[in-house]
Amino acid sequence: MQRLAIIGGTGLTSISDLHITNNQAVETPYGSTSAAFSHGELAGKEIVFLARHGNNHTIPPHKINYRANIWALQNIGITHVIAVAAVGGIHLNIPPKKIVIPDQVIDYTYSRKQTFFDNDLEHVTHIDFTHPYCNDLRIVMLQAAKDLKLDVFDGGTYGATQGPRLETAAEVNRLEKDGCDIIGMTGMPEATLAKELGLCYATCALSVNWAAGRGESEITMVEIDQAIEEGMGAVKQLIAASIKLFSK
Ligand code: HPA
């Protein structure tokens, strides 16, 4: 049976339309998850919701226990994950409030526990990561966007930076030369770990600021919060529509 989870990022610590039936704390060999899992119904379908930064948004990107989160989701029978993320836009067509369904990732993070395959191995294991995001879920989200007449950016490369600081203008220039279209701090190792456990995982990113050096002024939290406030409604609509399509 296919079972879907939503991992909510900055600006999405809860989904008000999710009718929660129970909260489940899951212990893992890797420690605690960011929060208890909320089981509930959204768009007429049973889903699980996890607040990546904790319910009160207190866990910074480099301190998230990605392994516990992904292991626990898989352990309770989740097969598909939509990962919501706030990002900065580099590509000219990704201004604040634009939704992006990326199809590639470049990992610039460091010192994060980035694999399940590091201890007690029978064999050294290398997963294929040519296509980091699950195309089945990407297609569901793109179709849902089309149905809603939402103009989302199809594809693009997510540059995952370490944070928690934002980038320098020079770093953004380098990221752009590398081929990155958006920048976020939580996309990795989450995507890798999901793939290691065979989950179908795709990201729904909301641009909340122009990347450093690309806007008219320095980046402020006020500007980010405003873009989240104005843009997250569309993300929630997209998720609800995706869930409906997914259940078909
Ligand atoms: N850079 C990295 N992560 C982010 C940004 C950014 O500009 N905006 C939101 N998350």
Side-chain angles (χ1 to χ4, degrees):
M1 195 177 96
Q2 299 197 329
R3 290 189 63 207
L4 180 69
I6 310 292
I7 301 181
T10 299
L12 193 71
T13 46
S14 64
I15 300 184
S16 51
D17 292 340
L18 177 66
H19 302 293
I20 297 174
T21 48
N22 73 299
N23 288 312
Q24 178 188 23
V26 185
E27 270 313 307
T28 84
Y30 305 99
S32 304
T33 59
S34 296
F37 292 163
S38 299
H39 291 259
E41 201 176 282
L42 186 64
K45 170 100 180 156
E46 295 287 321
I47 63 144
V48 169
F49 179 82
L50 170 67
R52 184 191 284 119
H53 296 277
N55 288 332
N56 296 319
H57 201 258
T58 49
I59 310 171
H62 61 293
K63 291 246 175 99
I64 290 167
N65 192 339
Y66 296 96
R67 291 201 299 185
N69 289 347
I70 295 297
W71 187 93
L73 286 172
Q74 201 245 11
N75 194 249
I76 65 162
I78 293 298
T79 55
H80 291 67
V81 178
I82 293 179
V84 180
V87 297
I90 301 177
H91 192 291
L92 274 180
N93 294 338
I94 307 182
K97 295 191 271 178
K98 186 87 171 187
I99 295 173
V100 183
I101 313 296
D103 61 2
Q104 278 297 328
V105 68
I106 300 179
D107 189 7
Y108 301 91
T109 66
Y110 47 87
S111 305
R112 298 184 182 187
K113 300 236 185 308
Q114 55 184 347
T115 181
F116 290 110
F117 299 127
D118 62 348
N119 281 321
D120 305 323
L121 296 177
E122 281 169 26
H123 306 282
V124 171
T125 305
H126 307 284
I127 58 152
D128 175 82
F129 205 46
T130 310
H131 301 293
Y133 299 114
C134 174
N135 214 34
D136 293 350
L137 259 191
R138 289 191 66 258
I139 287 168
V140 164
M141 286 194 277
L142 291 167
Q143 184 59 47
K146 217 173 190 179
D147 296 347
L148 292 169
K149 299 193 173 31
L150 260 181
D151 179 26
V152 305
F153 190 98
D154 174 3
T157 297
Y158 179 123
T161 56
Q162 176 68 1
R165 69 167 176 83
L166 295 164
E167 297 70 36
T168 65
E171 285 169 337
V172 171
N173 290 340
R174 187 186 77 161
L175 287 161
E176 184 176 44
K177 277 194 202 125
D178 283 356
C180 297
D181 300 294
I182 52 176
I183 323 173
M185 300 175 191
T186 57
M188 290 291 281
E190 200 173 82
T192 310
L193 294 166
K195 193 131 196 194
E196 284 188 349
L197 293 192
L199 298 177
C200 174
Y201 171 101
T203 289
C204 171
L206 175 69
S207 172
V208 296
N209 56 278
W210 283 114
R214 301 302 168 94
E216 280 166 12
S217 51
E218 291 181 5
I219 301 164
T220 65
M221 284 309 292
V222 172
E223 148 195 13
I224 289 181
D225 288 343
Q226 194 178 338
I228 287 173
E229 176 140 355
E230 291 172 10
M232 207 45 90
V235 170
K236 288 180 187 172
Q237 278 185 325
L238 181 58
I239 288 173
S242 301
I243 290 170
K244 276 192 197 145
L245 279 183
F246 175 78
S247 50
K248 285 187 190 155

